[in-house]
Amino acid sequence: MSGEDKELSLLLSEINEDNSIRLMKKFNKIMRWVIADFPKFVSHKYPDKHGLIYYGFNNVENKYTYKELDSLSNRFANFLIENGLKDYDRVAIHSFNSDYFVISMFGTYKAKGVLVPINYLLTGKDVIYQINNSESKFYLLDDSFYSQIKDVLPEFNYVKKFVALNKKDKINNEKFVDFNDILKNYSDKEPDKILNIWDPVTIMYTSGTESLPKGVIHTNQSLIAEYVSSIISGRFENRDVVIHALPLYHTAQKDVFLVPYVWLGATNIVLPKGDIQLIMEAIQKYKANSMFAPPTVWIGIVNHPDFKKYDLSSIEKIYYGAAIMPVEVLNRLRKEFPNAKFVNYYGQTELAPAHTALLPEDHDIKPGTAGKELLNMMTELMDEQGNIIKEPYKAGEIVGRGPHTMIGYLKNPEKTMEAFKYDWFHSGDIGMWDKDHYLYVIDRKKDMIKTGGENVSSREVEEVIYKHPAVKEVAVIGLPDEKWIEKVTAVVVLKDNYEKSEELKKEIMEFARNNLAHFKAPKEIIFVDSLPKSPSGKILKRELREQFKSRKEFKEKM
């Protein structure tokens, strides 16, 4: 018996954890289940299908078959390995959505690296923090951001290699390697790597609602478990033609939609960003039948002056999430897209991110709810003492358990333990069950307004104000007040055919008082031209609070 045969005989002689792991590594390529292999598996089934299409402004179009996606991502993986990437080294990408983003993402996974997508709205110290906190060794940059980042490049303490994703001639810096040269000059042979279901594959930084964003670590297991839940709940199909317009550095677009749809072998249309005109153009051009967007983007589409000029009748599947959808807006969407099925996803970055979903068949009976837990998740409500709340209509913090869950926050054990208190993941959201056990998301803990000793849900007030015919968008916040401690304040964007006036403010306030308990009604209306939003479409209430709390009238009172 050879030495290899003896080793195998020993490994199979007793069933235990160590032997199981060693066997899985010994026969890794035969049995592994990892995201890195998705392009290979899909290429084997649909080699000549155009699975990735980048569509940009001015009719820019780059098409890739699944065979090409697999080949090019292998080339990038071999570049990383040959330039010093060690297992679990971090690869940061700072870019708009692009074909390069998708290729480099799968290439990083194939090389056994850890992808770190950077929020492209960040500048200066914020980018430095994420690059250094993650200890990224490679930095991939879209030329669009070079001018705003070039002066801080020397402060990237761990980066060994810089890559220009496009238009290298615009990045006048000899440190940068041209991405297109990489795709020409490196082998397209699959790297010889042992990849495991438990390997960390990405660090997604939270939106930074606190002082510093937290690096959420996800593994093949957490992401693949979430992909399975998303595919089943979203009724994803191989035939789907899908628009991906929201930022891929955000886990919703990347991990609820793009990667699961690649896994299925669908046709993926990647847009550089969520430009309303470009979205409508792409839907019409490719006859797309599926798209995800937060409520703010869907509002922008139906309110766009050219909305009726485009043929959007191909849309069959409308997905929304990342923020609460006002029922009034949902009703408008259902009217404008009568043939579409709707799915509302609710979740958190830490859960990869999908947690619950309101399915198409439930939209008639439970509009405005977040639905029920997904296949691979358990959802409960919890009080401050760690007790599970089962009674309907009683508020508690939304908590979850399941394989979607992150393994922790990078270099932050305190926040990790806080998030996993009582052996559940704590979302920071307040919810309640209805009598049929559907979940209502009432508010973020930090967005609950404490006014005159009473708790007011900003969402409840927003739902009412959205029903006023003059209101296009609204965000309700609490602002400092001498009498009320926090004053319920509605920040309103008006529809185009309405003009700002004191009379209209009074009318909206009266409308709210007629439809709410008086302590919940806004004490003040503020008109603005637009609301600050993250690229994922979330309204940034923190910015509104900061903007308006320092107004002269508040300073005089405090």
Side-chain angles (χ1 to χ4, degrees):
M1 185 180 289
S2 69
E4 187 174 358
D5 290 340
K6 287 180 180 178
E7 180 197 20
L8 182 57
S9 179
L10 286 171
L11 292 176
L12 293 171
S13 65
E14 184 178 350
I15 299 175
N16 58 48
E17 182 178 1
D18 183 59
N19 283 353
S20 294
I21 290 171
R22 289 172 66 187
L23 283 164
M24 290 179 75
K25 289 187 174 183
K26 184 176 181 64
F27 300 113
N28 186 256
K29 287 192 177 179
I30 300 174
M31 61 182 66
R32 70 191 188 192
W33 198 20
V34 293
I35 302 165
D37 285 346
F38 286 4
K40 177 175 67 177
F41 275 67
V42 181
S43 173
H44 193 263
K45 296 175 178 67
Y46 316 107
D48 300 320
K49 181 175 182 177
H50 283 112
L52 173 63
I53 301 173
Y54 173 73
Y55 184 69
F57 297 101
N58 302 315
N59 292 308
V60 171
E61 182 184 65
N62 299 325
K63 290 186 173 184
Y64 303 85
T65 64
Y66 274 114
K67 185 177 181 180
E68 289 170 330
L69 175 59
D70 187 39
S71 171
L72 293 172
S73 54
N74 282 342
R75 291 179 186 272
F76 186 70
N78 285 316
F79 158 77
L80 293 173
I81 294 166
E82 291 180 35
N83 283 273
L85 183 92
K86 302 293 189 291
D87 291 355
Y88 310 129
D89 276 353
R90 270 71 80 193
V91 178
I93 181 166
H94 188 170
S95 173
F96 286 125
N97 295 354
S98 68
D99 41 350
Y100 298 147
F101 191 115
V102 180
I103 292 166
S104 57
M105 173 183 67
F106 281 112
T108 299
Y109 295 160
K110 287 169 180 271
K112 206 171 182 176
V114 177
L115 187 75
V116 183
I118 301 295
N119 179 337
Y120 56 61
L121 292 185
L122 299 179
T123 58
K125 64 179 179 61
D126 295 319
V127 177
I128 294 170
Y129 173 77
Q130 294 190 12
I131 297 295
N132 289 343
N133 180 256
S134 64
E135 300 183 25
S136 291
K137 300 293 178 60
F138 289 75
Y139 177 63
L140 284 52
L141 180 65
D142 186 314
D143 72 278
S144 306
F145 305 108
Y146 179 67
S147 61
Q148 67 193 44
I149 212 73
K150 62 181 180 180
D151 293 336
V152 302
L153 292 176
E155 298 182 55
F156 291 0
N157 296 336
Y158 300 91
V159 175
K160 305 298 183 187
K161 206 78 175 178
F162 296 83
V163 178
L165 286 174
N166 50 2
K167 298 182 181 176
K168 169 68 168 63
D169 55 309
K170 286 192 174 183
I171 298 180
N172 186 23
N173 189 322
E174 61 183 16
K175 287 184 176 181
F176 279 81
V177 180
D178 192 314
F179 189 79
N180 286 304
D181 289 342
I182 293 170
L183 299 187
K184 292 175 187 173
N185 298 330
Y186 286 83
S187 169
D188 69 349
K189 184 180 178 182
E190 180 184 70
D192 186 17
K193 285 284 183 181
I194 293 176
L195 305 176
N196 308 296
I197 189 73
W198 58 80
D199 287 338
V201 291
T202 191
I203 298 171
M204 306 292 287
Y205 279 88
T206 58
S207 302
T209 53
E210 301 176 21
S211 57
L212 288 173
K214 301 184 291 292
V216 176
I217 308 169
H218 276 294
T219 63
N220 279 306
Q221 172 180 294
S222 60
L223 293 178
I224 293 174
E226 191 270 348
Y227 299 164
V228 172
S229 293
S230 295
I231 289 168
I232 292 172
S233 59
R235 288 84 187 270
F236 297 178
E237 299 172 83
N238 166 269
R239 70 176 182 87
D240 289 343
V241 179
V242 194
I243 300 293
H244 303 282
L246 273 293
L248 291 174
Y249 73 71
H250 189 276
T251 185
Q253 189 69 78
K254 181 171 83 71
D255 292 315
V256 179
F257 297 97
L258 176 66
V259 183
Y261 263 124
V262 167
W263 191 14
L264 283 181
T267 302
N268 296 280
I269 316 298
V270 174
L271 309 186
K273 55 183 180 178
D275 180 87
I276 302 299
Q277 193 95 33
L278 189 65
I279 289 172
M280 295 190 293
E281 193 177 298
I283 293 172
Q284 178 175 278
K285 178 179 175 67
Y286 296 103
K287 294 182 170 53
N289 72 327
S290 171
M291 192 179 92
F292 160 76
T296 49
V297 172
W298 287 113
I299 291 167
I301 290 173
V302 296
N303 286 333
H304 195 280
D306 293 337
F307 174 60
K308 295 295 184 182
K309 295 180 183 178
Y310 287 92
D311 180 5
L312 309 182
S313 60
S314 60
I315 288 290
E316 302 172 8
K317 302 175 182 182
I318 287 180
Y319 303 99
Y320 62 97
I324 293 166
M325 175 78 84
V327 174
E328 196 72 14
V329 174
L330 178 60
N331 290 338
R332 168 87 188 278
L333 284 172
R334 296 180 74 187
K335 180 181 177 182
E336 297 290 359
F337 295 95
N339 299 320
K341 302 293 185 184
F342 289 75
V343 177
N344 171 24
Y345 281 109
Y346 162 74
Q348 296 80 30
T349 301
E350 292 87 344
L351 297 181
H355 190 170
T356 70
L358 182 70
L359 302 178
E361 58 269 25
D362 293 330
H363 270 71
D364 283 330
I365 57 173
K366 301 291 181 180
T369 78
K372 295 190 173 186
E373 62 195 20
L374 294 178
L375 174 69
N376 289 318
M377 284 302 300
M378 293 171 60
T379 308
E380 293 286 4
L381 299 179
M382 185 175 284
D383 66 18
E384 295 287 347
Q385 289 73 45
N387 300 306
I388 299 298
I389 298 169
K390 293 292 189 183
E391 307 95 298
Y393 308 112
K394 183 176 180 180
E397 183 178 10
I398 300 168
V399 297
R401 272 182 185 166
H404 296 197
T405 311
M406 66 170 182
I407 58 173
Y409 297 120
L410 181 67
K411 301 177 184 177
N412 201 333
E414 295 82 8
K415 290 293 183 183
T416 300
M417 290 303 296
E418 184 180 314
F420 291 162
K421 191 175 181 182
Y422 302 120
D423 292 327
W424 289 82
F425 168 71
H426 291 253
S427 70
D429 289 339
I430 303 298
M432 68 179 182
W433 302 117
D434 73 1
K435 62 182 177 59
D436 300 313
H437 211 69
Y438 283 77
L439 179 66
Y440 279 84
V441 180
I442 300 173
D443 226 328
R444 290 291 294 171
K445 270 187 170 180
K446 63 180 179 296
D447 288 339
M448 292 291 287
I449 301 167
K450 190 83 169 179
T451 180
E454 298 288 346
N455 287 321
V456 174
S457 162
S458 59
R459 181 194 178 183
E460 181 184 3
V461 183
E462 289 162 357
E463 290 275 7
V464 168
I465 294 176
Y466 261 114
K467 294 178 181 178
H468 191 282
V471 175
K472 180 180 179 182
E473 289 185 294
V474 59
V476 171
I477 57 175
L479 291 177
D481 184 82
E482 186 178 55
K483 178 180 179 182
W484 301 102
I485 308 302
E486 277 193 306
K487 174 165 63 173
V488 180
T489 306
V491 185
V492 173
V493 178
L494 295 174
K495 291 179 181 174
D496 292 342
N497 53 333
Y498 287 86
E499 293 186 4
K500 301 171 186 175
S501 68
E502 290 302 315
E503 286 187 6
L504 185 53
K505 284 184 181 181
K506 291 176 183 177
E507 181 184 319
I508 295 172
M509 289 172 69
E510 184 63 24
F511 179 83
R513 279 196 293 269
N514 289 337
N515 290 277
L516 290 164
H518 278 210
F519 73 88
K520 297 180 180 180
K523 305 293 190 296
E524 182 179 10
I525 304 289
I526 300 172
F527 289 142
V528 295
D529 294 329
S530 63
L531 296 173
K533 301 182 183 78
S534 71
S536 63
K538 289 184 180 179
I539 294 171
L540 300 175
K541 292 187 177 181
R542 172 170 49 87
E543 289 191 12
L544 291 173
R545 285 190 286 264
E546 287 298 315
Q547 178 182 349
F548 293 116
K549 78 176 183 181
S550 58
R551 290 187 306 167
K552 183 174 183 291
E553 63 199 82
F554 289 132
K555 285 181 177 177
E556 290 173 349
K557 289 180 178 180
M558 297 302 288

